[in-house]
Amino acid sequence: MNWEKELLDLYDANQDIVGKVDAEGTVLLPLFHTTVKAQVEIKIDKDGNFIEANKVLKGDDVTIIPITFESGSRTTNNMPHPLCDSLQYVSGDYSKYCVDEESDKFKSYFKAYIEKLEKWATSEYTNEMVNSIYKYLKKGMLIHDLINNNVIDTTKEGEIDYNKKINGIKQNKLFVRFIVEDDGILYRCWLDNDTHKSFIRYYRSTLTEQKLDYLTGSMEGITYSHPKKLRNEGDQAKLISSNDDTNYTYLGRFNNKEEAFSIGGETSYKIHNALNWIIRKQGKSFDSFTIVTWESSQQKMPNWDDDAEDIVSTCDEFYIDCSDGETEKEYDSNYLTAKRFNDALNGYGKSISNTSKMILISLDAATQGRVALTEYKSLESSKYLENIYKWHMEGGWRHKKYKNRKIIEYVGMPSVKDIAKILYGTEENGKMIIRKNSEKLYANVIKRLIPCIWDGRRVPYDMVQKSIIKASMPLSYDSHFNWEATVSLACSFVKKYRLERCKEEWNMSLDKECKDRSYLYGRLLSIADRIEYSTYDKEKDKKRVTNAKRYMNAFAQRPYTTWRVIEESIQPYLAKLNPGSRIYYSKLLDEVQNLFTLDTFKDNKKLDGLYLLGFHSQAFEMNNKESEK
């Protein structure tokens, strides 16, 4: 199945909510409709008599309006919208209040608008609201009424003051919407479902020329003008466009655009409206890049780019098996285990059918006028859950994060956003951030990790190496927490890298039998760090850095020569320890050093990423020993 069919299915499956604005302000638009921001609201009665006019408040300005193929894609043309439009089109008296040289132009704007509205209002598909608006507007009194109601200002010469603005829009370009009052009930044209259906029926009747829709194979009224506003309300970029007939559009294969490709108007609007809706509902945007995923039946599914803890915490019903065979709910825990993560994914799996699919679409734009589909993936939902589990378990390591002012620990992978912050972010006020002008970095990380999570591909080698390099430089961090997060990510990446490239499985628990040179040197560094830190005063020495961390970068490059320096530096600290601790750490150093051969110990070449696994696992082991004491 292709992405167009996925969006058509999405639109058809949600017919019951078409035209209804939800609590978040998102709406699945009816056919031949779009949204604009209105600045002026006109209230009239059912007979077309003016009642009052008001400025529209920001936050309540998004307005659903009917459009034609031509008006929906207007840029330089002057095709009016069928019902709601800007003052220049809907005001019969606009030419009286504009500068003289523009008078004839705006008379033609209103003439074109009112003629189209009249055709709808006098057709068999009209309704009372359309008739009421038509009766009012054909009087040509709109600007007069707005001035009398102090909605717009004029100059001393009586002309519309082009310099004055409402909600940031100049007065000559204000957009107007209508309310019809009937027996005390207010009918808002932009929310009236009957008016939406009235226009759809009327506009269909005007599309008399039927041609083959290349996407569905049905005969429809064809359009070569397609909707905008896919990613946001101000988005002018189009996904489908065919207005370039002078350069290389047809590449010599066709004589005209009709031979190359044709899409039915209804098909086009379903595709664009479904994409518009799902992006606003659950899409994510970073600079010009937008990505959205959904389940084919709109079931709740885990976000592929979340960390393991967020995936579990957003699961509505999470159960774990108790030792006595019963089942209980568990929500509150500061440590997320691999088993809890697996149980959560099983919980998601119970809600999906055999035909369930996960769909991913991403868009990006190189220019303001064109947007490209940069990624489309369709995957069975069961396989999607399987691949998420694989991602988090194959790279599973211990991680910490702040959540609700608490430190949460979990096993799995960090979120894609956290990965981007750790690898490419900057530290500011104790937090890792990606600046607004650097959001393309995050978009690039997403693009590169999509295949790793969705398809089970290998982690990019340069990301693995970058994480190792950054983890080896603790002195470049002001916050110890941020450096620890970098070490944890590096351990996740190294663990997954070794499994993918070398078929090696590494556990989080300390491997006391491992004789790998890098792993052993990492253990030694961790022990030296703990020896020195154990002698620090928690209050006075909060900002002190141990020699092990001070020399960590050099140690990773030249372990043998650097270890001699570190080993000498820890002797005074060993002497400060109480006899029991001194014996424990000395014995631990000997145990690790005895696992080396003389040749591997004297080998001074650069350590690989396994040294971080040894460092982190040894530190965790010693922390547990400390807790037991």
Side-chain angles (χ1 to χ4, degrees):
M1 189 177 288
N2 54 36
W3 63 273
E4 299 97 331
K5 184 66 167 63
E6 300 287 8
L7 291 168
L8 286 171
D9 288 347
L10 180 65
Y11 192 91
D12 290 339
N14 290 277
Q15 283 292 322
D16 57 323
I17 63 167
V18 169
K20 298 176 182 177
V21 181
D22 63 21
E24 286 74 37
T26 57
V27 59
L28 180 56
L29 289 168
L31 293 175
F32 315 126
H33 284 72
T34 189
T35 53
V36 296
K37 289 189 176 182
Q39 294 79 42
V40 176
E41 203 168 73
I42 306 287
K43 186 191 292 185
I44 58 177
D45 65 21
K46 65 179 182 179
D47 297 318
N49 298 313
F50 178 82
I51 298 175
E52 65 176 357
N54 293 290
K55 297 176 183 178
V56 178
L57 298 175
K58 274 193 172 182
D60 186 37
D61 51 359
V62 176
T63 305
I64 302 170
I65 65 164
I67 55 174
T68 63
F69 296 150
E70 295 79 12
S71 73
S73 60
R74 80 182 182 200
T75 49
T76 56
N77 68 54
N78 299 316
M79 295 301 296
H81 296 314
L83 189 63
C84 300
D85 212 324
S86 59
L87 288 178
Q88 298 167 344
Y89 291 90
V90 300
S91 309
D93 56 344
Y94 191 92
S95 57
K96 298 177 183 178
Y97 298 91
C98 67
V99 293
D100 290 339
E101 57 266 25
E102 292 183 324
S103 177
D104 290 340
K105 179 176 73 171
F106 293 126
K107 283 180 181 177
S108 68
Y109 280 16
F110 177 72
K111 184 174 183 294
Y113 167 81
I114 205 68
E115 286 176 356
K116 286 183 177 293
L117 182 58
E118 182 182 16
K119 288 179 181 178
W120 179 13
T122 56
S123 74
E124 61 182 291
Y125 308 101
T126 189
N127 67 4
E128 289 187 6
M129 179 171 290
V130 176
N131 285 327
S132 300
I133 295 171
Y134 171 66
K135 288 175 184 177
Y136 168 67
L137 290 178
K138 73 177 182 179
K139 297 175 183 177
M141 296 287 288
L142 193 147
I143 298 295
H144 172 269
D145 293 335
L146 291 179
I147 293 172
N148 284 353
N149 272 248
N150 299 315
V151 174
I152 62 174
D153 299 319
T154 57
T155 62
K156 293 178 180 179
E157 292 76 20
E159 298 169 351
I160 295 172
D161 190 343
Y162 288 10
N163 295 318
K164 293 290 182 66
K165 296 181 179 181
I166 297 177
N167 295 343
I169 304 299
K170 288 185 177 181
Q171 288 191 140
N172 59 314
K173 295 188 177 180
L174 298 176
F175 204 94
V176 182
R177 66 190 189 189
F178 301 94
I179 298 175
V180 177
E181 184 175 338
D182 186 4
D183 292 332
I185 301 174
L186 300 180
Y187 296 92
R188 292 168 172 80
C189 71
W190 63 97
L191 299 176
D192 186 63
N193 195 245
D194 182 59
T195 302
H196 298 161
K197 291 178 180 178
S198 168
F199 179 73
I200 293 170
R201 291 192 295 267
Y202 166 70
Y203 193 51
R204 276 176 178 160
S205 72
T206 67
L207 302 175
T208 55
E209 187 179 4
Q210 303 286 301
K211 292 185 179 180
L212 178 66
D213 174 9
Y214 283 19
L215 290 179
T216 64
S218 61
M219 299 300 289
E220 288 186 31
I222 299 301
T223 181
Y224 296 98
S225 301
H226 301 277
K228 302 177 285 188
K229 302 183 181 179
L230 284 175
R231 296 169 295 174
N232 54 65
E233 286 301 311
D235 189 9
Q236 296 299 307
K238 290 186 178 182
L239 182 60
I240 304 174
S241 180
S242 61
N243 64 354
D244 178 9
D245 55 7
T246 57
N247 295 310
Y248 301 101
T249 303
Y250 315 120
L251 298 177
R253 295 174 184 268
F254 307 101
N255 291 321
N256 52 53
K257 62 188 178 186
E258 288 80 6
E259 291 181 1
F261 192 52
S262 63
I263 302 177
E266 294 196 20
T267 299
S268 174
Y269 272 84
K270 283 184 177 182
I271 289 171
H272 286 84
N273 289 355
L275 188 55
N276 170 306
W277 172 66
I278 200 69
I279 284 175
R280 282 156 181 73
K281 187 176 176 64
Q282 56 202 55
K284 299 175 183 178
S285 295
F286 307 93
D287 197 57
S288 61
F289 178 75
T290 297
I291 186 167
V292 64
T293 62
W294 71 92
E295 193 270 339
S296 55
S297 301
Q298 291 292 285
Q299 293 292 326
K300 187 172 183 179
M301 293 289 278
N303 292 326
W304 66 275
D305 57 336
D306 277 351
D307 63 46
E309 193 278 331
D310 277 340
I311 287 175
V312 171
S313 65
T314 53
C315 181
D316 289 332
E317 297 293 330
F318 170 58
Y319 296 93
I320 62 169
D321 292 326
C322 301
S323 56
D324 58 4
E326 295 180 355
T327 303
E328 67 175 20
K329 285 187 180 180
E330 180 178 303
Y331 292 103
D332 300 320
S333 174
N334 283 349
Y335 185 69
L336 170 66
T337 63
K339 185 180 185 308
R340 284 189 64 198
F341 180 71
N342 185 51
D343 290 338
L345 290 185
N346 288 336
Y348 281 111
K350 291 174 184 176
S351 66
I352 59 174
S353 65
N354 293 333
T355 58
S356 171
K357 290 182 298 181
M358 284 297 296
I359 299 101
L360 177 147
I361 285 178
S362 68
L363 306 171
D364 206 350
T367 67
Q368 291 185 344
R370 300 288 183 272
V371 63
L373 183 89
T374 55
E375 191 78 60
Y376 160 67
K377 289 184 180 293
S378 178
L379 194 64
E380 290 180 6
S381 295
S382 56
K383 184 65 176 176
Y384 171 79
L385 293 173
E386 181 184 321
N387 286 352
I388 284 182
Y389 179 80
K390 180 181 177 183
W391 167 255
H392 285 280
M393 291 302 104
E394 287 188 354
W397 205 260
R398 301 179 195 90
H399 300 276
K400 295 179 182 179
K401 68 174 185 176
Y402 281 107
K403 187 176 182 179
N404 300 327
R405 298 183 179 181
K406 291 194 302 185
I407 292 180
I408 304 292
E409 297 183 52
Y410 64 93
V411 173
M413 276 282 201
S415 69
V416 173
K417 195 164 189 176
D418 284 341
I419 291 173
K421 287 178 182 178
I422 291 169
L423 293 182
Y424 305 104
T426 55
E427 196 174 28
E428 193 171 289
N429 298 323
K431 294 181 180 179
M432 299 300 296
I433 64 166
I434 291 182
R435 300 183 190 279
K436 273 284 183 183
N437 57 0
S438 302
E439 283 202 333
K440 279 190 178 293
L441 287 172
Y442 182 47
N444 289 334
V445 172
I446 286 181
K447 292 174 186 176
R448 299 188 68 197
L449 290 183
I450 285 172
C452 304
I453 304 174
W454 276 70
D455 305 327
R457 302 263 184 92
R458 292 179 173 183
V459 177
Y461 177 71
D462 63 294
M463 286 189 175
V464 179
Q465 288 302 106
K466 189 172 184 67
S467 69
I468 295 170
I469 292 169
K470 290 180 76 72
S472 302
M473 303 172 67
L475 297 184
S476 62
Y477 293 86
D478 295 328
S479 166
H480 184 74
F481 187 89
N482 292 335
W483 172 71
E484 281 190 329
T486 308
V487 174
S488 295
L489 174 63
C491 289
S492 280
F493 274 180
V494 170
K495 178 186 176 184
K496 187 162 176 58
Y497 171 84
R498 300 291 292 205
L499 178 63
E500 291 169 344
R501 266 77 166 189
C502 311
K503 307 301 178 187
E504 299 173 359
E505 293 191 13
W506 290 87
N507 295 319
M508 292 179 293
S509 56
L510 181 64
D511 187 349
K512 296 181 179 180
E513 305 299 322
C514 178
K515 295 185 179 181
D516 181 271
R517 166 179 164 273
S518 294
Y519 192 86
L520 292 175
Y521 263 123
R523 290 185 64 186
L524 287 179
L525 187 68
S526 183
I527 297 166
D529 180 61
R530 180 54 58 87
I531 289 170
E532 184 172 344
Y533 183 75
S534 297
T535 65
Y536 285 0
D537 183 290
K538 290 185 178 180
E539 290 300 320
K540 293 180 181 178
D541 300 324
K542 278 194 295 188
K543 294 186 178 181
R544 282 187 63 183
V545 179
T546 65
N547 283 292
K549 289 190 178 76
R550 195 184 307 277
Y551 290 109
M552 190 170 184
N553 190 36
F555 180 82
Q557 303 298 319
R558 299 176 296 280
Y560 176 64
T561 52
T562 311
W563 173 247
R564 286 189 297 176
V565 176
I566 295 173
E567 191 174 30
E568 288 177 6
S569 70
I570 63 173
Q571 297 309 313
Y573 301 103
L574 265 173
K576 287 183 180 181
L577 296 173
N578 63 59
S581 295
R582 187 163 57 247
I583 292 170
Y584 167 73
Y585 286 119
S586 297
K587 186 179 179 182
L588 196 54
L589 285 170
D590 290 339
E591 286 177 2
V592 176
Q593 288 178 326
N594 287 337
L595 291 171
F596 281 98
T597 65
L598 185 60
D599 289 340
T600 56
F601 186 66
K602 287 187 173 182
D603 188 350
N604 205 32
K605 70 181 181 186
K606 181 180 177 180
L607 299 176
D608 61 40
L610 284 178
Y611 98 91
L612 290 170
L613 269 63
F615 178 88
H616 200 267
S617 296
Q618 183 66 64
F620 187 80
E621 173 83 3
M622 291 185 293
N623 278 337
N624 281 349
K625 291 285 185 184
E626 202 67 32
S627 298
E628 289 171 12
K629 288 181 183 179

